[in-house]
Amino acid sequence: MKQEMLDFVKEKTAALIAAHSCSAEAKAAAEKWLAAVGTAEEAEVTKAYIAELEADIMPIDGLIAFAGSEAGVGVFGAELAKSILAHAKEIKAAGAAYCDCPACAACKAILDKKAELL
């Protein structure tokens, strides 16, 4: 992997770890990947990291469904759920395929480089 690509993925990985919306599983996978960079385990850990990112990134339709549900209201509260729902519909109309929260944005940026990482 070229140094420029490595630096980019490290930067996005740090952003993912710092994101309030990052799941515990994604954070653990990100930390494990950072620790494995430059080691004999890097290729194997990279595959697991990519798989975790693919599992965690929220498709926009899933976000819309969740934010508009009673479960979403239970997690976010009524006002925030309403705001998230409106935002999700707006970015979907603009062509977004995924949630744009900090964690999902970092996941997408890394997944966009998947072919180069694997």
Side-chain angles (χ1 to χ4, degrees):
M1 180 179 336
K2 293 182 180 177
Q3 188 62 44
E4 184 177 311
M5 172 64 60
L6 182 60
D7 291 345
F8 174 83
V9 176
K10 283 182 174 180
E11 176 185 320
K12 295 303 177 184
T13 297
L16 174 64
I17 291 168
H20 69 280
S21 51
C22 183
S23 72
E25 297 84 4
K27 184 175 182 176
E31 290 170 342
K32 186 172 183 177
W33 180 79
L34 285 172
V37 171
T39 71
E41 297 178 342
E42 182 177 348
E44 180 181 329
V45 173
T46 298
K47 289 177 188 175
Y49 184 37
I50 294 295
E52 185 62 41
L53 296 179
E54 290 174 334
D56 280 14
I57 194 168
M58 175 69 72
I60 195 66
D61 289 332
L63 178 60
I64 289 169
F66 184 69
S69 72
E70 287 186 32
V73 170
V75 169
F76 300 124
E79 287 304 311
L80 183 55
K82 183 179 176 181
S83 176
I84 291 170
L85 179 60
H87 175 73
K89 287 179 177 180
E90 180 182 311
I91 65 171
K92 180 181 179 176
Y98 297 100
C99 171
D100 66 347
C101 75
C104 287
C107 284
K108 183 176 181 326
I110 296 165
L111 290 172
D112 285 347
K113 306 293 183 186
K114 176 181 171 179
E116 298 162 75
L117 286 170
L118 298 176

